Amino acid sequence: MWQRSPPWSGWWPLAEDAAAPRTHSRHLPDALGRRYLLEFDTAELASRRADVLVIGSGMAGLTAALGAAANGRSVHLVTKGRISETNTWYAQGGIAGAVGEADSVELHLADTLVVGQGLCEEDVVRAVVGEAGEALRDLVRLGVEFDRVESGAVDLHREGGHSLPRVLHTGDATGAEIQNKLSGAVKRAERVEVFEERFLVDLLTAGERCVGALIYDPATHDLEAFWAGSIVLATGGAGQMYRITTNPLLATGDGVAAAWRAGAEVSDLEFVQFHPTAFDSAASPKFLITEALRGEGAYLLDCDEKRFMLGVHELAELAPRDVVTREIEKVIARCGRPNVWLDARHLGAEHLRLHFPTVWETCLEAGIDISKDLIPVAPAAHYMIGGVRIDLDGRTSVPGLYASGECSCSGLHGANRLASNSLLEGLVFSRRIVRALETDAQPVPPARVVSPPSDDSVLYTLPMALGNLQSVMSQFVGVNRSEGSLEEAATMLGEMAAVLDVSLTRPAELELQNLVTLAILLTHAAWYRTESRGCHSRTDYPLRDDEHWRVRTVWRRGASPRREAITGRTDAWAAGERP
Ligand code: SIN
């Protein structure tokens, strides 16, 4: 008889911290205690085995697969779209690395810590920015071509929060260049077998250990057990929780939700980064107008065509993203129109066409000549800072399970991600995982996993549920939140949690369950943190509260969340001390 694995019963634990400011004490819907989404018995399923199973084919997944294979391991790489359909592909700006003559690892460290607002783990930041140079050289060896200046040195762009130009790029389509070169290398790699258009349903665990994943093939409707000694999650973010997002349709948080169900710790989910300048059009997802354009000197203008970032922050349009986004929201409210304007006209047609061909073409297709016209822009959900909690070598709290890239939470980004540090994080952490596997790796264990049946009624139709979810998150858990808005969201999402109690089998239905899971966790995390910091902005708690909240929030299914102290001197850095 199926027993639902330990139901969520944890009232939130503020009794243990009497000095903490008032926060909520609501509990999560019981359905978030569910262990597996589907009914199955692996003894009845086809199965495959490899030393390493990598799930996801963006920067993080491809790097892990290539590295593990180069070390002689057999690798299965599973991805839910075609191999190149990833969030990485959409990255325009580029990848940060202290490779310029005037730059240093210490400067990159300082910028990351300052933007992270006291929540970055300093040892993690050091490890990532310190390995950037070597990791980027290896990318170039794999064939990635970054733009160069006449002398042959790499051309560096500047983006928000960086104290100098530091972003390597390939025009404004850096992600596509990296994606294409790495996908090509993986397809050629001898020991990597690629499974495209396969959906991660759940991670399989035996005892404490992750031993594989349940994978669904929508073409044949077959479920398969993919067993592995080590499993690397590289499934990206969950921007599809929001109505207005830069993320493609596939960004539905499947890996984070599966890791939650498997008992892995997740952390810092309240921090969602909104990109200030998505192209304001009817299209969905929104096309990003890269921050590098502001780095080249484009201005933000209000409805009177006046620059509004001057005087708000010393870096004006190049202030950290949370600052620019909140200011844009204020201007949008003041002006009563859905967008502000980005003015790149003074940069000249030739320069714009040459350096920003993707932005140029996309705007032109929408009838906007960016050398003559203002570009309508507005904030859009862009990046999930929280995720599956990992250590310095990408290990999650579940033995055998690793995570890298946007689905993970390493502590690199703190409360606000420094622009173009995300591709770097995926690259460096996957390299670290590959190294860790050399000592951690276990043989593929024999296992049988059984998940008994669930209820079979559902209250929502799929499009209605997804639309509701996105509206709730956009309206109540967006750039600005408050106890009232979060309570409203928690109530509405709690009703939607009914979908978590039914066995749904189509990928879109499974994606919906993952989105609902993450939306509920995110809402409660935002409700829990009674302060404003980085990209978590509470209108009822507008100040940063270092006394109580210079901590990361860490939870796992079936337990109460806990606060964990930050390591290193990130408070001093965040207060503006620099080397
Ligand atoms: C951008 O090009 O503006 C996005 C870069 C990033 O999200 O790091």
Side-chain angles (χ1 to χ4, degrees), residues 510-529:
L510 300 170
E511 286 177 337
L512 174 69
Q513 303 214 40
N514 292 331
L515 286 169
V516 171
T517 299
L518 286 190
I520 292 173
L521 291 174
L522 197 162
T523 300
H524 281 263
W527 198 353
Y528 184 43
R529 184 177 283 276

Side-chain angles (χ1 to χ4, degrees), residues 91-94 159 273 275 277 288-292 294 321 382-383 417-423:
Q92 287 182 23
E159 293 182 5
Q273 186 169 66
H275 195 288
T277 57
L288 188 71
I289 307 287
T290 176
E291 203 158 274
R294 277 176 280 138
R321 278 186 194 166
H382 182 58
Y383 188 85
R417 178 176 65 89
L418 182 67
S420 289
N421 264 359
S422 48
L423 286 177

Side-chain angles (χ1 to χ4, degrees), residues 283-449:
S284 183
K286 300 294 171 201
F287 174 72
L288 188 71
I289 307 287
T290 176
E291 203 158 274
L293 200 56
R294 277 176 280 138
E296 289 289 286
Y299 305 133
L300 284 165
L301 305 179
D302 66 12
C303 43
D304 298 321
E305 298 190 14
K306 292 218 169 68
R307 283 180 74 183
F308 56 85
M309 285 307 298
L310 294 171
V312 172
H313 192 280
E314 57 183 0
L315 295 174
E317 279 85 354
L318 284 181
R321 278 186 194 166
D322 59 323
V323 178
V324 182
T325 293
R326 276 195 297 275
E327 206 52 35
I328 292 177
E329 291 282 318
K330 281 188 208 158
V331 172
I332 283 176
R334 170 165 62 79
C335 288
R337 44 172 308 128
N339 62 273
V340 296
W341 303 106
L342 188 65
D343 185 0
R345 295 173 298 186
H346 51 289
L347 301 179
E350 200 179 327
H351 184 81
L352 289 167
R353 202 180 311 113
L354 192 64
H355 290 270
F356 301 97
T358 316
V359 172
W360 175 274
E361 279 301 325
T362 309
C363 289
L364 213 52
E365 277 165 25
I368 291 173
D369 175 345
I370 64 174
S371 68
K372 296 195 181 104
D373 304 321
L374 298 176
I375 311 169
V377 291
H382 182 58
Y383 188 85
M384 191 170 72
I385 287 179
V388 186
R389 186 165 189 245
I390 55 171
D391 72 7
L392 208 44
D393 292 314
R395 296 180 193 92
T396 72
S397 61
V398 173
L401 180 65
Y402 300 75
S404 177
E406 190 173 351
C407 70
S408 72
C409 185
S410 66
L412 171 68
H413 307 308
N416 187 29
R417 178 176 65 89
L418 182 67
S420 289
N421 264 359
S422 48
L423 286 177
L424 180 64
E425 183 189 37
L427 174 65
V428 170
F429 266 95
S430 288
R431 292 162 57 98
R432 296 181 78 89
I433 289 170
V434 167
R435 295 201 290 268
L437 289 183
E438 291 307 286
T439 48
D440 293 3
Q442 301 273 337
V444 186
R448 176 182 177 192
V449 179

